[in-house]
Amino acid sequence: MVQARRTSILASRLLGPAELRFLRLADELNKDLTPAGRRRLYGALRKLPNGAHKFQLGRLELDLAQIDTDLKDRMARLEAVRDGIDSKGDRGEAVIRGTTVAAHLIAALARDQAVDAILTDFPSLTRDQIDAAVEYAKAYPKRGRPYPTKSLKTTLAALADVGAFDDDGDLGDVEPRPIP
């Protein structure tokens, strides 16, 4: 059963076992089912008791035991990831538990940088914390403007390598100019 729950200003959608089963089956059978077949499949799954692992729709017979096991494992992994993240940080942003580092920032950095580079920029983090931040960001995408994929420290080091901060000589007297 899909339920909407109001949390502060935003509404979050809760998915029940029937919806999770349907999404998993639809992912596997996407090319084999017509839109009408998907609707029939979802309707039949909603009527199926939660404990039932065999499913029949017309001539189609499915064993849901493997899907249920997979869903249970994925939900356990998600719970483990959520245990490593504090979703109510100082600024209302998800932070890695025990730190003030934003989980979505680390996930953004992980798109372009190796874990070792992130550990250099954030020596207080562990590999497990970085992995948890990346998994958390996949499950709960950041709203609004994305974080950059390079840290400030890495960006400044790259600029220094190309000589952006080198003193090329005397610039003379620099004075403000009137705006025409």
Side-chain angles (χ1 to χ4, degrees):
M1 162 172 34
V2 178
Q3 298 174 347
R5 178 177 62 183
R6 201 120 174 103
T7 56
S8 68
I9 298 171
L10 305 173
S12 60
R13 192 179 333 173
L14 304 176
L15 301 177
E19 287 76 21
L20 292 173
R21 283 175 161 177
F22 172 75
L23 290 172
R24 186 71 174 124
L25 275 171
D27 186 44
E28 290 180 17
L29 301 173
N30 191 26
K31 294 178 183 173
D32 299 328
L33 291 177
T34 64
R38 282 193 289 273
R39 281 192 297 275
R40 285 186 60 211
L41 176 64
Y42 177 64
L45 283 172
R46 286 194 54 142
K47 295 175 185 173
L48 193 67
N50 287 342
H53 297 293
K54 294 283 185 184
F55 172 70
Q56 188 167 357
L57 180 64
R59 294 183 185 177
L60 177 66
E61 185 175 316
L62 298 171
D63 184 11
L64 300 175
Q66 183 61 40
I67 289 173
D68 291 341
T69 302
D70 182 46
L71 288 173
K72 185 178 177 183
D73 292 345
R74 292 174 114 188
M75 292 303 288
R77 261 193 3 240
L78 180 60
E79 282 300 317
V81 165
R82 285 169 52 189
D83 286 343
I85 304 294
D86 184 9
S87 61
K88 304 281 190 215
D90 292 341
R91 296 171 300 221
E93 190 171 352
V95 295
I96 297 171
R97 193 169 303 282
T99 71
T100 59
V101 180
H104 289 100
L105 170 64
I106 298 302
L109 294 177
R111 284 195 300 253
D112 278 359
Q113 295 182 10
V115 173
D116 292 331
I118 297 170
L119 288 171
T120 302
D121 291 343
F122 296 90
S124 64
L125 297 181
T126 65
R127 288 182 186 277
D128 290 339
Q129 288 174 318
I130 292 171
D131 291 341
V134 170
E135 290 299 317
Y136 182 86
K138 284 179 187 176
Y140 303 100
K142 180 182 182 324
R143 294 177 187 246
R145 184 175 291 196
Y147 281 110
T149 57
K150 298 271 188 224
S151 70
L152 179 61
K153 187 176 181 179
T154 303
T155 303
L156 290 175
L159 287 172
D161 287 345
V162 297
F165 304 116
D166 293 345
D167 188 13
D168 291 342
D170 186 26
L171 297 176
D173 293 332
V174 179
E175 295 179 17
R177 294 179 287 148
I179 299 175

